Amino acid sequence: MNIEDLTPVERRLWKAFPKGESVDLSVGDQAMDDITRSDRWGRDRMVRAEVLVALLVGAVEPEPGQVAAVRLGGARITGALNLGHAEVQVPLALTGCDFDEAPHLYWASMNSVHLMRCRLPGLIASGTRVDGHLWLEGSRINGGLWLDGANITGILNLSGVHLSNPGGDAMLADRLSVEANVYCDQGFAANGEVRLPGARVGGQLIFRGARLHNPSGAALYASRLDVAANVFCDGGFSAEGEVRLRGARVGGYLSFVGARLAAPKRTALNADDLAVETDVYCSDGFTAVGAVSFSGARVTGQLSLRDARLFHDEGTALGLQRLQAEELLMRTAEPIKGTADLSYARINLLRDDAASWPERLQLDGLQYETLEPPLTARERLAWLRRDTDGYAPQPYERLAQTYRSLGLDADGRSVLLAKARDRRRTQGLPRKIVGWFQDVLVGYGYRPFRAASWLVGLLAFGTIVFSIHRPDVLDDGHKPHFNAFFYTLDLLLPIGSLGQEMEFAPKGVYQWIANFIVAAGLLLGLTVAAGATRALSRE
């Protein structure tokens, strides 16, 4: 390019380049320097994109001892800034500039790139390698930001960036690789889908205070995302549309503290098969309209839902199937509206609150070591009976085992008795009748001393009956002394003799009464023995 063909403004930039000096075309009037009013900028603020390209690809040699760079502010860039497949070894820093056309950086090898507070009709940087930072802070990008397959060795800064591509991809960053932090905070907003599937971040991923809007689809699609440190979607983060983190891996903790997610009648947060090395916080004002799912997720520390609000009346509001977590904190601000599915989850410590129990539960296969608070058996049985799948034996057995491990044997037996009673409701009439007798007589073996009460009652009954009607003596030549109490006790004892039963023989209906007492004594005596054995063995 011939310097004689340059405009005065372009000539200033050309001369400033070898020393890396800045050229600022702004006039100092905030209203006039606003990029939204760039249509009022005169020719003295216009720079052709081809001039920038020429400088960036080596049209001018840097001065010895100086670091050459394109540093330009307050300009309107006309034409296409096309650096596709280019080798750029100098920094590019544009501030407060307005682009007529979307820059093309695809598969380019760039030094650090700063496009701060600029307005662009798109930015195409697919496959671009940036040896340094990509800094887009405060810019407005319409038509989509494409970073798919890009590799950034420093920071990706999108703080305060507004992306707009309604119904399409606001940011396409599939397989993006950033070796340091990614900042999408301080007013970051996107109208359209933000895509990060398969992306890798070597530091932290920060969406603090970001606002994502794509109600017809995914607001944030980040399946298989790999972040070495923490992920922050808090500080006023909001998403209208689904947030998808399926199969993602987080090396630190994941924070949705105070976030607001909305995907009515769909999945507001899909974190299935997520792996987090420390904690997950969906807490302290976290609100989700739509399902929240952590099915198959692995959380090394705590999954906290403290003071959260979840709404999905038409289905599963909270999906924790096959979750593995050291601790689950389910003390929500109000009862979950919808079903909470904890089936086949494995949790060491489950902390909940009866006042915030979900309306509906699914608990079959749930494994836990400790409940905090354990509550009484009556209260915990009310918890089990919220299960929408009806009777299943495993939740009762798990709860009873937990009570026994805490030394609460009586509560454990109460749970197992409730298990037998609830099972009876699912059986046919003959089994129901047998079960009812087992329950009344001995509480299915979990109330063994109820049989002792029946024995005392029969002893009293027999004593009264045989006191009123003394049985006849078997041997008329023998004159034994009769005692109604010991005679009845002799009938009740299944083994041994007190010498009364063999001396007297009742007749008629009293013989039937005596036979009934003998049979009942045998049955109840065996039951007491079996129940005592069960109690001693803590079965």
Side-chain angles (χ1 to χ4, degrees), residues 451-475:
S453 300
W454 282 104
L455 286 171
V456 171
L458 286 172
L459 180 60
F461 171 71
T463 300
I464 294 171
V465 168
F466 294 117
S467 293
I468 297 173
H469 190 281
R470 176 175 173 171
D472 296 335
V473 179
L474 282 174
D475 187 353

Side-chain angles (χ1 to χ4, degrees), residues 18-31:
K19 295 182 180 180
E21 295 176 345
S22 298
V23 174
D24 187 2
L25 303 182
S26 59
V27 297
D29 183 335
Q30 185 174 358

Side-chain angles (χ1 to χ4, degrees), residues 306-322:
R306 183 185 62 191
D307 292 332
R309 291 177 170 83
L310 307 181
F311 305 91
H312 191 53
D313 290 331
E314 298 180 4
T316 300
L318 178 63
L320 303 179
Q321 308 96 313
R322 307 183 314 283

